[in-house]
Every structure is written in C-alpha cells, then in structure tokens.
Amino acid sequence: MGVLPVPAEVRAILLDIEGTTTPIAFVQETLFPYIKDNVKEYLRAHWEEEECQRDVGLLRKQAQEDSSLDGAVLIPLESGSGEEELERVIQAVVDNVHWQMSLDRKTTALKQLQGHMWRAAYATGHVKGEVFEDVVPAIRKWREAGMKVYIYSSGSVEAQKLLFGYSTEGDILELFDGHFDTKIGPKVDSESYRRIAASIGCATNNILFLTDVPREANAAEEADTHVAVVIRPGNAGLTDDEKSYYSLISSFTELFLPSST
C-alpha cells in the first residue's frame, strides 16, 4: 500500500480499536469467550458485593424491557430462601448474559457487567490487551512530531483503558490524550465526529480518523474529517469500490507526517 502522506492541517489522530490497533480475533476469541466461560464463577464470587448487585439489578431491568423478545430470559428477584434459590437466580443471570451476547447486544447493562469482569481479568493477569506490533512505535513517533492521539471505540472508555493499561506492551495509556466511546454518539453518525472535534478543541479537518469500517469512515468524511481505512489480518474484506475510494494502510508505519521530515 506504500506511504500515505498526512494532510498538513492534521493536528490529531483518532484511532478505532478493534481491527485497527488490536486484532479482531482478540475481541472475538479472547474477551467475549472469557465472559461466557466465567460469568457464573464471577457472580458466585462477587454476589454479595454492592457493585455486583447493581450490575444484576441493571440486567434484571433490561430483561423486563426485553420480555417480549423471542428467547428473552427474565431474572427473578431473590426471596432469601436458601442456596438452591440463589443458584436459580444466578443461572438466570448467566442465561440472560449468554442470550444477549448471542445476539451481539450492546445494552448498558451487559456492557457494565462485562467491563467489571474484564477489569478483574486484566488485574489478575488472566487477560492481556493485544496491540499490533507497529502501533506503539508509530504512536510514539506521531507524538514526538507534535500530534495528539485519541481513541474512539464502541467499547466503553473503561474497557479501552483496561486494554491499553494491561497490554502485551505493558501500560501504554500515556500514549493517548483522551478516550471517546458511544456516549459521544454512534460511530456511524457524522455528528459524533463534530462533537469529538469540539471536545478536543479543533476543527474536524484537523483530525485524521483510522478505522477498519467503511461506514464509520464515511460518517467521519461527512463531517469533513480526514480518514484512512486500515487493512489488518482478520478484518472484513472491502469491495472494489471501497478499495478505490478510500486511502488504505496496512500498518501505522505507512503514515507519513510532513512535520517528521
């Protein structure tokens, strides 16, 4: 793919995570299976804790809202009548989590429990965040050239910080000037990129957004943000039209910063 010159007006680089800084396989084959395989054990170990009870309460409320959906799993209230009943409630939570994940739901209730489980997994060393080997050296070079570097992912800011704080490269949170998740808006909505620009104090055309998803690239372009689509192993393929339309890179080292000459 060669070298991609970065426009001179760019002052900040905005990075997607999955398929851009981090292999899609890490999310699909490590993070999500960890939740499925360990949710029952986690609930049993933390059930009496206030945070866990808040998580369960949110899931229970979400289950009520989902009650008309096919396959939805309700979570009963505890009446305090012993271990057998507790196991039934815990199993209902497990079944609800598995059902939501099977549909790739992105509910706040599910994401909150997942975030707390991943926090424990990272802290104990059961999980380490994966980043492509070109990522850290390239970001260091960008920062030396005066660039600001931000993350924008559909995963929560907490999940982002865990991934980079407990990564295969060590704690690399210092490389980022800020984090954005879908609280700022959906990644396929051009208004989200305008909000991000306003938040970091620049114009949208002062930002270069790197993502593996053409729909996100299109939304960013609509907001007058510069974009490049990242080609990584395991990413979804692009159509011929997408390949010819978008600027493409397969490694962060392919970005050429005018200020680095």
Side-chain angles (χ1 to χ4, degrees):
M1 259 151 260
V3 170
L4 178 65
V6 174
E9 69 263 31
V10 169
R11 299 286 177 267
I13 297 178
L14 183 64
L15 302 172
D16 171 46
I17 293 180
E18 188 178 348
T20 299
T21 66
T22 297
I24 282 178
F26 170 69
V27 177
Q28 295 180 344
E29 298 172 14
T30 299
L31 284 186
F32 287 139
Y34 179 86
I35 300 295
K36 289 179 181 176
D37 295 344
N38 292 279
V39 62
K40 181 180 279 189
E41 181 184 340
Y42 176 87
L43 290 168
R44 283 174 174 162
H46 298 276
W47 190 260
E48 300 298 331
E49 296 170 17
E50 187 178 335
E51 181 179 81
C52 185
Q53 283 301 306
R54 283 198 303 269
D55 292 347
V56 171
L58 267 185
L59 286 164
R60 185 178 283 121
K61 184 180 177 186
Q62 183 65 50
Q64 288 287 349
E65 294 173 12
D66 294 339
S67 60
S68 62
L69 300 179
D70 187 39
V73 181
L74 293 176
I75 301 170
L77 288 165
E78 282 182 88
S79 62
S81 59
E83 285 294 315
E84 195 173 317
E85 187 213 31
L86 175 59
E87 278 300 306
R88 274 200 304 273
V89 176
I90 288 175
Q91 188 60 52
V93 178
V94 172
D95 292 344
N96 179 279
V97 167
H98 286 182
W99 172 73
Q100 288 202 61
M101 292 182 70
S102 72
L103 298 177
D104 197 25
R105 302 285 301 281
K106 304 264 195 280
T107 64
T108 299
L110 178 62
K111 284 167 70 174
Q112 181 166 299
L113 175 67
Q114 288 173 331
H116 292 152
M117 286 187 63
W118 286 327
R119 182 182 62 199
Y122 281 115
T124 56
H126 285 101
V127 172
K128 283 188 180 294
E130 290 183 33
V131 292
F132 289 108
E133 62 181 16
D134 58 277
V135 169
V136 170
I139 294 177
R140 290 196 194 284
K141 190 174 180 182
W142 301 341
R143 291 178 63 86
E144 286 167 9
M147 286 286 174
K148 299 284 190 180
V149 183
Y150 298 88
I151 295 291
Y152 181 28
S153 172
S154 57
S156 69
V157 167
E158 182 182 21
Q160 297 172 27
K161 290 182 175 179
L162 287 169
L163 191 156
F164 295 118
Y166 296 92
S167 85
T168 50
E169 301 292 324
D171 183 350
I172 56 173
L173 281 172
E174 65 178 14
L175 298 180
F176 305 108
D177 294 281
H179 298 257
F180 298 96
D181 58 22
T182 51
K183 286 180 181 174
I184 200 95
K187 296 175 75 180
V188 294
D189 182 350
S190 59
E191 190 59 34
S192 302
Y193 300 88
R194 296 186 185 96
R195 292 190 194 109
I196 287 172
S199 175
I200 64 181
C202 68
T204 51
N205 71 346
N206 297 141
I207 298 172
L208 170 64
F209 178 47
L210 304 184
T211 178
D212 64 311
V213 181
R215 285 182 66 211
E216 297 173 2
N218 185 55
E221 267 200 339
E222 285 179 3
D224 200 28
T225 298
H226 296 282
V227 300
V229 173
V230 184
I231 311 296
R232 297 286 200 184
N235 287 7
L238 302 178
T239 66
D240 289 341
D241 285 346
E242 289 165 346
K243 288 176 184 174
S244 61
Y245 178 77
Y246 290 109
S247 298
L248 307 177
I249 60 170
S250 59
S251 166
F252 286 4
T253 59
E254 293 169 11
L255 288 183
F256 177 75
L257 274 54
S259 55
S260 64
T261 54

